[in-house]
Amino acid sequence: MVSMESSKSEPQNLPISAKKSPTAMTKKGVYVAISYMACAVLLVIFNKAALSSYEFPCANVITLFQMLSSSLILYALRRWKVIFFTVQDSNIVVKHTTNLVPFKTVLHCTPVALSYLLYMLVSMESIRGISVPMYTTLRRTSVVFTMMAEYFLARKKYSSHVVACVGIIMLGAFVAGARDLSFDYYSYTIVFVSNITTAIYLACICSIGESSGLNSFGLMWCNGIICTPILLLWTAYRGDLEATRNFPYLYTPGFQAVIFLSCALAFLLNYSVFLNTTINSALTQTVCGNLKDLFTVGFGWIVFRELPFDLLNIVGQFLSFLGSCLYAYCKLKGI
């Protein structure tokens, strides 16, 4: 969680409209994109520490902790008037500090929250039964799903330069996984479903954000209060809560520090996803995800030695990286 930057003096007016023609990326947009990638890589590290180093068996419980902590932080910051949940409140002096988000608005944001929950659950399952190179190959096709989702949901079009950059990313992804094209119906289907849910989630942020009247904090709040009860019931039904209670390292300082940092980074990551999607675009968010994957894979090669050295895979990773850099250049130049 899915994964905050905020001023402690005056709440910022957070942009929520994504229905805009291609323009040059601002300095703020660049900083937001870099912040997202940094949070994403660090979150992977701490999640890996919890799931691998401590062998914690319940990934969904970590997600539940992240959602709960995010909702509590948002509630506290809103009560203390450090942040607001609506654009209107961000521009005026608010007298009623107890107002959160009207129930009607929460219902309006339900598609965003449900698509987010589905995206998280499917993403957890998508890594099973498939090798890392092929997983990376299939996941990077999400840029195409995102472009399609944005077109149908927000009628957003991209220039031929952007389409060409996405094509290079796709080519690099295919080359990177070309040595591992063993076909598995279930694994392939789950990964493609994960791509679709990712695209729908990002496009929903763009299409519903403006009409909801909420800023990034408000959208995050709706995500938390809708998804947390559902995930709590799901983990209880699966027996994950009982397994967590019996986990031998649950009360050790090291494990608790890892979970605390994971929750904090998830909070920052969620906010940076909203900001990157709204200030830049859903496609920019997806391409930043590709760059983040490249850094994560490189970290795995250098530190964890998780991937064997393969020249074809490196060539493919380089092509994907090149395509992402060209896309960033197009955004910076507004072409």
Side-chain angles (χ1 to χ4, degrees), residues 75-214:
Y75 179 78
L77 293 177
R78 177 63 185 87
R79 292 281 297 184
W80 297 332
K81 292 197 283 187
V82 176
I83 63 171
F84 299 110
F85 289 161
T86 65
V87 176
Q88 182 181 5
D89 287 344
S90 301
N91 295 325
I92 62 176
V93 177
V94 180
K95 297 180 180 179
H96 302 289
T97 60
T98 58
N99 291 340
L100 294 174
V101 176
F103 181 71
K104 184 178 180 180
T105 304
V106 173
L107 290 180
H108 180 73
C109 295
T110 299
V112 176
L114 294 181
S115 63
Y116 172 66
L117 181 61
L118 183 61
Y119 147 72
M120 288 193 305
L121 294 177
V122 175
S123 295
M124 286 287 186
E125 180 65 21
S126 63
I127 193 60
R128 300 180 190 272
I130 193 168
S131 66
V132 173
M134 200 61 236
Y135 173 77
T136 304
T137 298
L138 297 180
R139 280 294 288 159
R140 284 187 177 168
T141 62
S142 61
V143 293
V144 176
F145 290 101
T146 301
M147 293 178 73
M148 293 172 59
E150 282 194 318
Y151 175 76
F152 287 111
L153 294 178
R155 294 300 176 186
K156 188 168 185 176
K157 297 181 180 180
Y158 290 92
S159 67
S160 58
H161 297 86
V162 171
V163 174
C165 294
V166 172
I168 295 175
I169 294 173
M170 293 287 294
L171 176 62
F174 176 79
V175 172
R179 287 196 188 276
D180 190 29
L181 292 175
S182 56
F183 193 80
D184 183 311
Y185 283 102
Y186 177 77
S187 298
Y188 275 51
T189 300
I190 292 297
V191 174
F192 277 116
V193 171
S194 178
N195 290 343
I196 295 171
T197 57
T198 301
I200 293 175
Y201 170 55
L202 296 178
C204 281
I205 294 176
C206 291
S207 61
I208 295 179
E210 183 176 13
S211 59
S212 69
L214 300 176

Side-chain angles (χ1 to χ4, degrees), residues 234-247:
W234 174 251
T235 52
Y237 172 77
R238 286 171 53 92
D240 290 341
L241 296 181
E242 182 67 21
T244 300
R245 193 177 67 174
N246 297 327
F247 183 61

Side-chain angles (χ1 to χ4, degrees), residues 40 83 90 155-156 197 220 249 254 274 281-282 305 321:
I83 63 171
S90 301
R155 294 300 176 186
K156 188 168 185 176
T197 57
M220 286 183 60
Y249 300 108
F274 277 112
S281 70
R305 305 292 182 184
F321 180 75

